[in-house]
Amino acid sequence: MTARELDAAGITDPDLRAAYSRCRRLNARHGRTYFLATRLLTPDRRPAVHALYGFARWADDIVDSLDSGLAPDARARALERLDDDLALGLAGGPGAEPVVRALADTARRYAIDHRHFADFLAAMRSDLTVSCYATYDDLRRYMHGSAAVIGLQMLPVLGTVAPREEAAPHAAELGVAFQLTNFLRDVGEDLDRGRVYLPEDLLDAHGVHRELLHHCRRTRRTDPRVTAALREFESLTRAAYRRAEPGIALLDPVSRPCIRTAFVLYGDILDAVAATGYAALHRRAVVSRRRRASVAADGLLRLAAARVTAGRRAPAAAPAPLEAPSPLDAPATPAQAEPSAPPTRSHVPHLEVE
């Protein structure tokens, strides 16, 4: 967390500044394109978004990390400790984990409904025992806690030009769209964890069973039946984007470039999956650095225009200078796909754009 961002947000306590900085490092390390999109927010809002990311990432790693070696019961206990720590933090206590301290402070500053955090942790707990979903409706119910509430948590930070209840369904649907994209991109990595997020009735309709998925993962080959199932899942995902998109115009104008950038780049992941021939079981589709930089540059222009307009409406509030994207996101040779990357899929819908 840069000092300018923390100062702009009015965060002065040294321990709290350190907690927010911890969340920012998690974002920069694990959510590179999302981190870039966050740079398109005004500095005063960035710490809150990093706090929301940091907490969700922390919980997600407890559930999903393949490197920790934790047994399911140990993961459940760790998640329960995090839940207890969160309850203490939200009640005004200190919180043991830095990510909890930052999250609790953000929740107080923006009056974020605590139920969204409870629903998120409930979804994390379900991943310890649930490995498949019979129907798309079943999957959608799961995604309320794992994805939709992330959009709802973000909404008070982003701000709206319409009543928040009007923007909320679109924000929730955008969270769902982002997570559906993750599910499609990371179907192979999820299979390694023993989970299949593609609904069973969709797979059955194309003659796909779990053994076939494992075969494709193991042999690094595609199968027409799997391709057809993944293509249909892509269609469901694009429908979620269409339902979500009208909500961008309901956001505070200075927040729109950030969300528009994430919206475009996540859509690009779907294009990259299709470009690989739906080989997501053994190839992790990526968006090139050059493309990310191009979309970010467009976002910077949009942000500059929005801040100029805002300055005209409120001339006493001079906008802070814009920052260029970090070297982390500098243009590089485009690449449409790469071999399976280390397993870092996140439940958080806006986290894992590579």
Side-chain angles (χ1 to χ4, degrees), residues 27-85:
N27 192 350
R29 183 181 308 123
H30 297 291
R32 293 176 58 187
T33 299
Y34 177 60
F35 179 72
L36 175 60
T38 303
R39 298 287 294 276
L40 299 179
L41 288 173
T42 53
D44 60 303
R45 304 186 200 206
R46 296 176 201 166
V49 176
H50 292 315
L52 294 173
Y53 178 99
F55 176 79
R57 180 76 213 189
W58 195 266
D60 195 67
D61 280 349
I62 291 174
V63 173
D64 266 354
S65 175
L66 294 176
D67 298 326
S68 67
L70 290 178
D73 59 341
R75 294 177 191 269
R77 289 194 298 272
L79 203 57
E80 191 63 32
R81 287 193 297 271
L82 181 64
D83 197 355
D84 292 341
D85 196 28

Side-chain angles (χ1 to χ4, degrees), residues 147-148 150-152 154-155 158 166-176 244 247 251:
I150 301 298
L152 297 176
M154 287 279 291
L155 203 53
L158 298 173
E166 182 180 343
H170 300 290
E173 191 68 14
L174 188 58
V176 168
L251 300 175

Side-chain angles (χ1 to χ4, degrees), residues 10-302:
I11 301 167
T12 58
D13 179 80
D15 289 340
L16 199 54
R17 287 169 75 94
Y20 275 101
S21 295
R22 168 64 173 154
C23 294
R24 185 181 191 271
R25 290 193 295 272
L26 285 170
N27 192 350
R29 183 181 308 123
H30 297 291
R32 293 176 58 187
T33 299
Y34 177 60
F35 179 72
L36 175 60
T38 303
R39 298 287 294 276
L40 299 179
L41 288 173
T42 53
D44 60 303
R45 304 186 200 206
R46 296 176 201 166
V49 176
H50 292 315
L52 294 173
Y53 178 99
F55 176 79
R57 180 76 213 189
W58 195 266
D60 195 67
D61 280 349
I62 291 174
V63 173
D64 266 354
S65 175
L66 294 176
D67 298 326
S68 67
L70 290 178
D73 59 341
R75 294 177 191 269
R77 289 194 298 272
L79 203 57
E80 191 63 32
R81 287 193 297 271
L82 181 64
D83 197 355
D84 292 341
D85 196 28
L86 176 63
L88 176 63
L90 292 176
E97 295 291 349
V99 295
V100 169
R101 292 197 292 273
L103 179 76
D105 183 68
T106 291
R108 285 191 291 271
R109 288 171 182 266
Y110 288 94
I112 299 174
D113 193 330
H114 294 181
R115 290 178 298 176
H116 299 329
F117 305 121
D119 289 347
F120 173 74
L121 288 175
M124 295 300 96
R125 283 191 291 272
S126 76
D127 264 329
L128 297 175
T129 56
V130 179
S131 63
C132 60
Y133 295 87
T135 68
Y136 184 58
D137 286 343
D138 293 331
L139 182 64
R140 294 277 309 197
R141 281 189 286 272
Y142 160 75
M143 287 191 296
H144 166 75
S146 65
V149 297
I150 301 298
L152 297 176
Q153 291 170 22
M154 287 279 291
L155 203 53
V157 180
L158 298 173
T160 63
V161 295
R164 191 177 298 172
E165 58 269 21
E166 182 180 343
H170 300 290
E173 191 68 14
L174 188 58
V176 168
F178 286 168
Q179 186 167 59
L180 289 171
T181 303
N182 283 347
F183 289 159
L184 181 61
R185 182 198 61 185
D186 299 335
V187 61
E189 294 174 10
D190 287 329
L191 190 64
D192 291 343
R193 297 183 177 93
R195 300 197 202 110
V196 177
Y197 289 102
L198 276 63
E200 290 182 324
D201 60 350
L202 184 152
L203 295 175
D204 290 344
H206 296 281
V208 178
H209 45 78
R210 189 172 289 220
E211 290 74 17
L212 178 59
L213 296 177
H214 279 291
H215 172 77
C216 292
R217 177 72 167 165
R218 183 174 60 254
T219 63
R220 300 182 63 81
R221 295 180 179 178
T222 58
D223 182 282
R225 293 167 292 178
V226 174
T227 297
L230 295 179
R231 185 180 290 114
E232 182 178 347
F233 194 78
E234 178 200 4
S235 179
L236 292 173
T237 304
R238 292 193 185 276
Y241 278 100
R242 289 193 294 271
R243 291 189 293 270
E245 186 172 16
I248 298 177
L250 303 180
L251 300 175
D252 186 327
V254 296
S255 295
R256 292 172 197 166
C258 168
I259 302 306
R260 172 65 64 180
T261 295
F263 181 93
V264 171
L265 290 175
Y266 262 86
D268 285 349
I269 292 177
L270 295 179
D271 295 337
V273 170
T276 68
Y278 300 91
L281 274 164
H282 51 81
R283 299 177 68 187
R284 196 172 198 261
V286 298
V287 178
S288 73
R289 286 189 173 187
R290 188 178 303 278
R291 171 62 175 168
R292 285 189 284 130
S294 174
V295 175
D298 177 72
L300 281 170
L301 292 175
R302 291 173 181 268

